[in-house]
Amino acid sequence: MLALGRIQRRAKQWGAARDSLGTAQAAFEQLGSPGWAELARAEHGRVAGRRPSAGGELTATERRVVELAAGGLSNKQIASTVVVTVHTIEVHLAHAYAKLGVRSRSQLAARLAADVPEPAATLAPASAKD
């Protein structure tokens, strides 16, 4: 079902791909195969033709591209990592920039840093000082 879903997604058969990948994910979870279930979940996240996310949130692919860009990789390096064309990376970045309201990679990195919650501060035991 995972392989079928991938083929359907690449053939732009969105509904069939969603069904196949959802079935594959459920089957892998039922079998106790979290790694395969995650692959099916990730592939399902790449299926186009879905409703726009609420509040202008980034898609899974946009989020990954943005994180790589903020990490200092060039568009060519990102394209190689994600295994798509440089043009596709440019499109994902353009969409992400618009959604996040930024205009440069430095603003992008700052925005991502601001969105990451800081680790909870450890509370030191109170000392009994008067």
Side-chain angles (χ1 to χ4, degrees):
M1 293 307 292
L2 176 59
L4 176 62
R6 284 178 171 168
I7 291 167
Q8 290 168 330
R9 179 181 66 83
R10 291 178 182 147
K12 298 181 181 177
Q13 298 171 354
W14 312 127
R18 272 193 297 279
D19 292 343
S20 297
L21 293 168
T23 301
Q25 179 183 344
F28 288 133
E29 288 172 351
Q30 185 178 15
L31 291 170
S33 299
W36 285 102
E38 179 56 35
L39 285 174
R41 187 177 304 109
E43 194 72 27
H44 190 272
R46 293 185 185 104
V47 175
R50 44 191 197 277
R51 289 181 221 137
S53 57
E57 294 177 16
L58 298 178
T59 65
T61 305
E62 287 169 347
R63 168 68 61 183
R64 183 160 186 226
V65 168
V66 162
E67 289 170 350
L68 292 170
L73 273 66
S74 69
N75 288 0
K76 188 174 182 179
Q77 291 168 322
I78 297 169
S80 176
T81 301
V82 181
V83 192
V84 295
T85 65
V86 174
H87 176 72
T88 301
I89 297 302
E90 292 167 350
V91 170
H92 285 308
L93 284 173
H95 290 159
Y97 278 31
K99 288 179 181 180
L100 296 173
V102 298
R103 297 180 134 203
S104 69
R105 286 185 187 230
S106 59
Q107 288 179 342
L108 182 66
R111 174 68 188 267
L112 285 184
D115 287 346
V116 175
E118 293 183 26
T122 57
L123 297 176
S127 61
K129 289 187 181 179
D130 283 13

